[in-house]
Amino acid sequence: MIYLDNAATTFPKPEEVYARVSEVMRFHGANPGRSGHSMALEAGRIIYNSREVVAKFFNIKNPMQVVFTSNATEALNIGIKGVLEQGDHAITSSMEHNSVLRPLKALEKKGIIELTIVDCNKSGEISVSDIERAIKDNTKLIVTTHASNVTGTIFPIEEIAKLSKSRGILYMVDAAQTAGVYSIDVEKSGIDMLAFAGHKSLLGPQGTGGIYIREGLHLDTLKEGGTGSKSESLYQPEMMPDRFESGTPNTPGIAGLAAGIEFINSYGIDKIRTHEEELTKYFIDSLSEIEGVKIYGPRDISKRAPVVSINIGDEDSSEVGYIMDEAFGIGIRPGLHCAPLAHKTIGTFEQGTVRFSFGLFTKKEELDRAIEGIKEIVKSI
């Protein structure tokens, strides 16, 4: 299969990731922090070393402010539900993934918070001025994506963070689509909380992710349980990251995530970004020459992540996705992409879109095959 669904999960992974996961499972498969024997101690060292790798990657001063989760969705839930309290107001955008929207809407439905969803334009771009106009006296949190998983549109997170700080409001960034391709410096950007997925462009295994929580920021817990620390107490420990890491962690997956980040550091994040931007530009330029193909999102490659959503005439996106898979052996993602408001924003809620997304290991020849497939579908209709 030609795999062009990297916005969902990158594939393949670097060989170093496979090797590291296998090694940890085979030789260090004990519970970290739960026992005093050598295997458990080594597992604990693996977790801590991985935490340091993540911290350095995002310029997080204290590695203990990195909390490992099972995915970005869990990380976003920890941040959103941990910060917002009765009577608070939150602001988000119409381009968000359901991982942001559903926790916020759940809190709104329970009458806990007020919520404002700021509309973006047809290209998925947001106006910082519109965010500012939405601020109220009780606004506590602004949470946005870094880049849309539908259009690839990149948000001006540093500008939003500056606005948030000037008004004493917390800012949380969903970096699921950008971490590993775009440099993210939490100190420079002024981000209070950062949610990231391990299995996407960080090149780690599925079932990994995390959240950075700024030092000094206190959040309520999403879950409680065994942490291997303060076991004499019936209450959840206050110390970080134990406060948010109840239960046995995914040690092999976390080690694989660290291996993915180390591969990125070795290969060069700038090289990765350049490669993916070149592929995106080539794909968009090629599709622009095909009559009947509609491309969504900004045309300026510097303003979009390597995600390209299209439609072919009025054809159902799921049907096009099925043909691409069955007839051409190309794996893509049709539909609403767990982002219904984003599709309403760009006018594709009924039809959905056919999403192509590229990764480090995507080749130009694979895009040529996809372009030929699109041309064949256009001819057939």
Side-chain angles (χ1 to χ4, degrees), residues 282-290 293 295 308 310 371 374:
Y282 176 76
F283 193 66
I284 289 175
D285 288 348
S286 299
L287 294 186
S288 298
E289 298 175 0
I290 306 173
V293 174
I295 305 168
V308 181
I310 71 166
I371 292 163
I374 293 168

Side-chain angles (χ1 to χ4, degrees), residues 123-141:
S123 292
E125 296 166 311
I126 194 165
S127 166
V128 179
S129 297
D130 287 346
I131 296 176
E132 186 169 21
R133 280 190 287 272
I135 292 174
K136 301 181 180 182
D137 291 340
N138 61 333
T139 303
K140 188 174 186 180
L141 175 68

Side-chain angles (χ1 to χ4, degrees), residues 247-266:
T248 301
N250 178 8
T251 306
I254 291 169
L257 168 57
I261 293 174
E262 287 168 341
F263 177 88
I264 292 167
N265 290 334
S266 175

